[in-house]
């Protein structure tokens, strides 16, 4: 029996409850196709291949490395005739360059090819990746021999499993060639079977060479295609394909890739989150450095190269920061591995976003590699030398990179899973966005339920219960596209003071499967409760739960329109030096509190009818929070910067 079939049998979780622990399993679908609001990468860009085209098809050499995986999920239609494979940056481990084409058991919409299949021991045809027509007529015009100079062949790199599911011996990846004159395909000119070994520690991309010898291929309209045989009921049996090169003068020991490459999306610019609400951002939230994976794929002497990143405001594309590291001599990956130079691999983050954001804001970070010490555009190399990522400030906290490679679960009835967030100001928790994966039968999965939980806590874990939402919510699944992750609202919005909280779900009888990102590792901010106590997650990655907050604390229920208008206050000057003034129509019982960034109350008092002056002479420079209350109820809160 296939190992994955164990995850799909009815009554799975009742049989696994003998041991209470956190674990991962393969996904049932591809959420990146389902929920278009998830991915943090740009969606509007398109590949800019320089591939030459002739009347009889593409001109060789044919080169493809799926560098555009940062900006789109389907193959470049200038090179490929179909779009069934998943182009991504998340599933491969240590790829030659950023972006691969992943073969699995899902169709182009992220759903199983055969969702009702019961026999998990069988493999069926699944994904196909077919090249556009290629003109090999030029080959027949030369005196073709088997000598290296005239050799025609393909080199490509493959990896089984990666961060996905291991293909077993009944699964395979295959390569076919097309004979234009005969209008026939030659099947299985190369193939690779899966392995009973789980390959847990196998992170190597294997180089494959296939010679093209039959002259029946050397005509206009030649094609090649990759296919996989898989269990077509879920996101199973992964093969990852990269660095395809078809050319004349290529042979088994050829090394056609004189190439610098960034191999994965760099780490976020925030130290504890991938995204956070703009109203909670402070400069102390910035990471001290970022992690960048750079490799020199040339086999030979080092390449003199530099690394640069630039930060732009989204929409206006205004440059707000740039960093340049280098030039240095980077040895071959084959001999020295990834760049270990701090100015490239762990550059110090010498930038802080502006505090006091007034609305949702996105930033674009572009990472560049180039040869020599100049950062002029003409000296940038092939497109995989540029990687784009987003830093988002919206109304939610997130740990993940916007994609899931597996699903996370805890084997215990009533288990709790929560993510840690730190509020830097008063705010209102409205809802929780969660991607639940429909493990097994989707109709049965729809009957599972949970409750939203909120715990007070500190840096070491949850402490007392702040809220167990009384509403038992059923998980949501969609069979068509949906904008963003499904959102589950609290019965009553919860006002929270500045401090550390743990927000998540308490499952009912059945274990819930939650999307899990394997590339951004914020496991230190993920906790679970299985039986007797809270534990910090020990699985590298990030669970896909996003607490959603309001723009401001709403006026208390019961105020009439006049009182709601009176709840609006201004403070000036801001930044303040010796004092600041609170201006607003204050009714009887209206008070103010001044808190530091840690939530500690430093000053309080009553407000007068129009203006109240507050001294700041004894306060250190920094960010503070002003809270206005009426008879104990929070009316509003505002940030205040003090610069004495």
């Amino acid at each position: 029996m296939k190992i994955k079939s164990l995850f799909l049998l009815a009554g799975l979780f009742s049989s696994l409850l003998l041991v209470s622990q956190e674990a991962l399993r393969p996904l049932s679908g591809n959420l990146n196709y389902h929920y278009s609001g998830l991915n943090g990468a740009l969606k509007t860009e398109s590949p800019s291949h320089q591939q030459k085209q002739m009347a009889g098809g593409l001109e060789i050499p044919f080169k493809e490395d799926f560098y555009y995986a940062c900006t789109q999920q389907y193959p470049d239609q200038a090179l490929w005739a179909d779009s069934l494979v998943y182009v991504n940056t998340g599933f491969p481990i240590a790829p030659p360059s950023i972006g691969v084409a992943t073969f699995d058991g899902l169709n182009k919409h992220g759903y199983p090819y055969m969702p009702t299949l019961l026999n998990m021991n069988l493999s069926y045809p699944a994904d196909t990746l077919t090249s556009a027509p290629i003109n090999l007529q030029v080959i027949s015009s030369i005196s073709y021999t088997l000598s290296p100079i005239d050799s025609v062949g393909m080199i490509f790199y493959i990896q089984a499993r990666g961060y996905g599911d291991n293909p077993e011996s009944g699964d395979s990846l295959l390569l076919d060639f097309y004979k234009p004159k005969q209008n026939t395909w030659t099947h299985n000119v190369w193939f690779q079977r899966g392995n009973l070994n789980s390959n847990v520690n196998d992170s190597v991309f294997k180089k494959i060479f296939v010679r093209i010898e039959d002259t029946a291929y050397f005509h206009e309209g030649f094609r090649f295609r990759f296919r996989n045989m898989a269990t077509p009921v879920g996101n199973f049996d992964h093969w990852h394909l990269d660095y395809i090169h078809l050319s004349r003068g290529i042979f088994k020991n050829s090394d056609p890739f004189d190439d610098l490459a960034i191999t994965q999306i760099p780490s976020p610019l925030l130290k504890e989150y991938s995204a956070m609400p703009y109203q909670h951002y402070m400069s102390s939230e910035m990471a001290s450095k970022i992690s960048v994976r750079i490799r020199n794929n040339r086999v030979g002497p080092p390449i003199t190269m530099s690394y640069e990143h630039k930060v732009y405001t989204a929409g206006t594309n205004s440059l707000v920061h740039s960093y340049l590291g280098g030039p240095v001599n980077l040895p071959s990956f084959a001999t020295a591995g990834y760049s270990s130079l701090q100015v490239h691999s762990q550059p110090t983050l010498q930038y802080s976003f502006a505090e006091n954001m007034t609305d949702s804001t996105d930033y674009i970070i572009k990472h560049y590699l180039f040869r020599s010490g100049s950062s002029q555009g003409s000296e940038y190399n092939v497109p995989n030398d540029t990687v784009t990522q987003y830093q988002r400030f919206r109304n939610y906290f997130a740990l993940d990179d916007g994609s899931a490679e597996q699903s996370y679960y805890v084997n215990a009835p009533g288990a709790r899973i929560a993510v840690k967030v730190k509020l830097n100001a008063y705010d209102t928790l409205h809802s929780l966005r969660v991607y639940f994966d429909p493990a097994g039968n989707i109709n049965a999965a729809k009957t599972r339920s949970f409750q939203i939980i909120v715990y007070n806590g500190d840096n070491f874990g949850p402490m007392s219960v702040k809220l167990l939402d009384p509403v038992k919510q059923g998980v949501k699944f969609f069979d068509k596209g949906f904008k963003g992750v499904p959102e589950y609202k609290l019965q009553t919005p919860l006002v929270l003071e500045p401090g550390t909280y743990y927000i998540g779900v308490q499952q009912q009888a059945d274990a819930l499967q939650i999307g899990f990102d394997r590339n951004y590792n914020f496991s230190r901010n993920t906790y679970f409760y299985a039986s007797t106590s809270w534990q910090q997650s020990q699985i590298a990655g990030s669970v896909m739960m996003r607490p959603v907050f309001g723009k401001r604390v709403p006026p208390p229920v019961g105020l009439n329109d006049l009182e709601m208008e009176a709840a609006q206050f201004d403070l000036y000057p801001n930044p303040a030096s010796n004092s600041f003034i609170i201006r607003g129509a204050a009714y009887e019982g209206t008070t103010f509190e001044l808190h530091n960034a840690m939530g500690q109350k430093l000053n309080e008092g009553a407000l007068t009818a129009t203006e109240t002056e507050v001294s700041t002479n004894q306060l250190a420079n920094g960010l503070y929070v002003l809270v206005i209350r009426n008879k104990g109820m929070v009316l509003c809160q505002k940030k205040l910067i003090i610069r004495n």
Side-chain angles (χ1 to χ4, degrees):
M1 177 181 290
K2 287 196 170 191
I3 295 174
K4 64 180 63 63
S5 65
L6 295 176
F7 293 106
L8 298 175
L9 294 175
L12 159 69
F13 299 107
S14 61
S15 65
L16 289 179
L17 296 181
L18 298 176
V19 179
S20 296
Q21 60 181 359
E22 58 174 353
L24 300 179
R25 65 168 297 280
L27 290 161
S28 295
N30 188 332
L31 69 92
N32 300 291
Y33 291 140
H34 298 182
Y35 307 122
S36 59
L38 268 176
N39 202 307
L42 289 167
K43 294 293 185 182
T44 57
E45 297 182 2
S46 58
S48 56
H49 265 293
Q50 303 288 320
Q51 196 78 44
K52 294 182 179 179
Q53 193 122 14
M54 302 173 64
L58 297 173
E59 180 182 359
I60 60 172
F62 178 103
K63 296 180 180 180
E64 170 69 295
D65 73 345
F66 307 103
Y67 72 90
Y68 46 87
C70 298
T71 60
Q72 74 172 50
Q73 298 164 341
Y74 294 105
D76 179 6
Q77 294 301 286
L79 300 181
W80 304 102
D82 43 38
S83 54
L84 298 176
V85 297
Y86 173 44
V87 175
N88 70 97
T89 65
F91 272 106
I93 298 175
S97 67
I98 195 162
V100 299
T102 293
F103 294 74
D104 51 36
L106 305 175
N107 63 23
K108 66 183 295 183
H109 303 294
Y111 293 96
Y113 283 102
M114 301 173 65
T116 60
L117 179 68
L118 297 178
N119 191 338
M120 300 296 112
N121 295 314
L122 300 179
S123 292
Y124 290 87
D127 289 336
T128 301
L129 181 63
T130 307
S131 74
I134 301 170
N135 190 348
L136 292 188
Q137 178 70 39
V138 63
I139 304 299
S140 64
S141 66
I142 66 174
S143 177
Y144 177 76
T145 69
L146 293 182
S147 65
I149 192 171
D150 289 331
S151 174
V152 180
M154 286 182 64
I155 286 178
F156 53 91
Y157 287 74
I158 63 166
Q159 180 184 67
R161 191 179 189 273
Y163 283 128
D165 176 61
N166 185 66
E168 289 91 0
S169 57
D171 309 315
S172 56
L173 181 67
L174 311 101
L175 174 64
D176 304 331
F177 287 162
Y178 178 68
K179 296 179 178 179
K181 295 295 186 181
Q182 290 90 335
N183 191 26
T184 60
W185 284 94
T186 303
H187 295 90
N188 305 350
V189 296
W190 169 90
F191 68 92
Q192 178 71 56
R193 293 188 183 279
N195 195 322
L196 289 176
N197 188 326
S198 64
N199 290 331
V200 171
N201 298 315
D202 184 3
S203 62
V204 175
F205 267 76
K206 297 179 175 61
K207 178 181 176 182
I208 308 297
F209 170 76
V210 179
R211 185 188 297 276
I212 303 177
E213 298 181 84
D214 192 334
T215 55
Y217 299 128
F218 300 142
H219 298 280
E220 297 178 354
F222 168 78
R223 295 181 181 223
F224 65 89
R225 71 182 179 195
F226 291 93
R227 300 179 291 120
N228 73 315
M229 300 288 291
T231 303
V233 295
N235 206 348
F236 300 138
D237 305 324
H238 292 94
W239 300 92
H240 313 298
L241 176 67
D242 197 10
Y243 258 7
I244 304 169
H245 186 92
L246 167 65
S247 182
R248 179 187 169 196
I250 193 170
F251 49 98
K252 187 171 184 179
N253 295 323
S254 293
D255 178 50
F257 305 113
D258 183 1
D259 185 31
L260 293 169
I262 298 174
T263 65
Q264 66 183 45
I265 301 292
S267 60
L269 274 61
L270 300 177
K271 64 182 177 183
E272 297 297 339
Y273 317 103
S274 61
M276 69 180 299
Y278 64 89
Q279 63 267 36
H280 292 282
Y281 170 75
M282 299 169 55
S283 58
S284 58
E285 300 288 349
M286 296 293 293
S288 59
K289 58 186 178 181
I290 58 176
S291 176
V292 186
R293 281 282 186 95
I294 300 171
R295 60 186 278 174
N296 171 11
N297 287 312
R298 172 200 280 182
V299 176
I303 295 177
T304 302
M305 54 80 64
S306 296
Y307 160 80
E308 181 178 31
H309 65 245
K310 294 184 176 181
V311 182
Y312 301 85
T313 55
T316 63
N317 285 323
S318 300
L319 178 66
V320 296
H321 173 70
S322 63
Y323 165 89
L324 178 63
V328 296
N329 290 327
L330 180 61
S332 168
F333 178 80
T335 58
Y338 294 103
S339 173
S340 59
L341 295 163
Q342 185 269 331
V343 293
H344 293 169
S345 62
Q346 299 285 322
T348 301
L349 194 52
Q350 302 169 343
Y351 175 71
S352 177
F353 298 106
E355 295 184 352
N356 278 342
M357 298 179 195
T358 59
D359 204 349
S360 295
T361 304
D362 290 347
Y363 291 88
I364 302 170
I365 303 95
K366 292 195 174 183
H367 305 262
Y368 304 98
L369 302 181
F370 48 91
R371 304 189 184 215
S372 78
S374 171
S375 62
Q376 299 302 312
S378 61
E379 296 194 19
Y380 290 125
N381 287 325
V382 294
N384 68 14
D385 292 347
T386 301
V387 170
T388 301
Q389 71 178 140
Y390 256 66
Q391 185 60 68
R392 298 191 185 278
F393 296 96
R394 298 289 183 89
N395 65 340
Y396 58 82
F397 288 94
L399 306 180
D400 59 273
D401 69 354
S403 65
E405 288 71 48
Q406 292 179 293
S407 65
Y408 175 93
Y409 65 96
V410 178
N411 289 331
R416 288 157 254 176
I417 304 167
V419 295
K420 171 182 155 186
V421 300
K422 179 175 176 256
L423 303 191
N424 294 321
Y426 279 83
D427 210 339
T428 304
L429 175 67
H430 289 279
S431 58
L432 186 65
R433 295 174 187 165
V434 190
Y435 171 72
F436 290 111
D437 183 61
N441 185 291
I442 190 169
N443 292 323
K446 288 179 179 179
T447 65
R448 297 172 189 150
S449 61
F450 68 95
Q451 292 172 271
I452 296 176
I453 56 172
V454 181
Y455 278 75
N456 296 302
D458 56 20
N459 287 332
F460 303 102
M463 297 164 62
S464 60
V465 177
K466 182 77 173 179
L467 172 74
L468 175 61
D469 195 63
V471 177
K472 293 184 179 179
Q473 311 215 34
V475 297
K476 301 174 184 177
F477 304 110
F478 300 90
D479 56 4
K480 296 181 180 178
F482 185 78
K483 288 285 185 181
V485 188
E487 188 165 324
Y488 304 88
K489 295 184 180 298
L490 290 172
Q491 183 181 58
T492 302
L494 178 64
V495 177
L496 295 174
E497 298 179 339
T500 299
Y501 299 92
Y502 292 79
I503 304 170
V505 299
Q506 177 170 323
Q507 62 196 27
Q508 302 303 302
D510 294 322
L512 299 173
Q513 317 295 296
I514 301 175
F516 194 76
D517 167 31
R518 293 297 305 271
N519 292 275
Y520 280 179
N521 182 17
F522 286 109
S523 58
R524 63 183 179 274
N525 291 335
T526 303
Y527 283 73
F528 69 95
Y529 186 104
S531 56
T532 59
S533 63
W534 284 96
Q535 302 176 58
Q536 188 180 66
S537 175
Q538 298 301 305
I539 301 178
S542 296
V543 67
M544 301 188 75
M545 294 196 299
R546 299 178 172 189
V548 179
F549 287 82
K551 291 185 177 180
R552 63 183 62 182
V553 177
V557 177
L559 292 182
N560 60 36
D561 292 342
L562 179 63
E563 290 172 319
M564 289 178 66
E565 184 176 341
Q568 305 305 311
F569 293 87
D570 294 321
L571 62 90
Y572 69 93
N574 190 8
S577 54
N578 298 321
S579 65
F580 66 91
I581 294 174
I582 305 170
R583 174 187 291 169
Y587 286 79
E588 182 180 356
T590 303
T591 61
F592 76 89
E593 297 172 1
L594 189 63
H595 297 253
N596 63 16
M598 301 301 293
Q600 298 168 317
K601 184 164 61 178
L602 305 178
N603 194 1
E604 62 182 339
L607 293 185
T608 63
T610 55
E611 291 188 351
T612 303
E613 184 174 7
V614 181
S615 173
T616 62
N617 284 331
Q618 304 301 315
L619 299 178
N621 291 346
L623 180 68
Y624 295 80
V625 178
L626 178 71
V627 181
I628 308 295
R629 297 179 184 266
N630 183 271
K631 297 180 181 179
M633 300 296 294
V634 175
L635 299 182
C636 66
Q637 57 87 20
K638 294 179 178 293
K639 289 182 181 179
L640 171 69
I641 296 176
I642 295 178
R643 293 177 182 166
N644 290 315

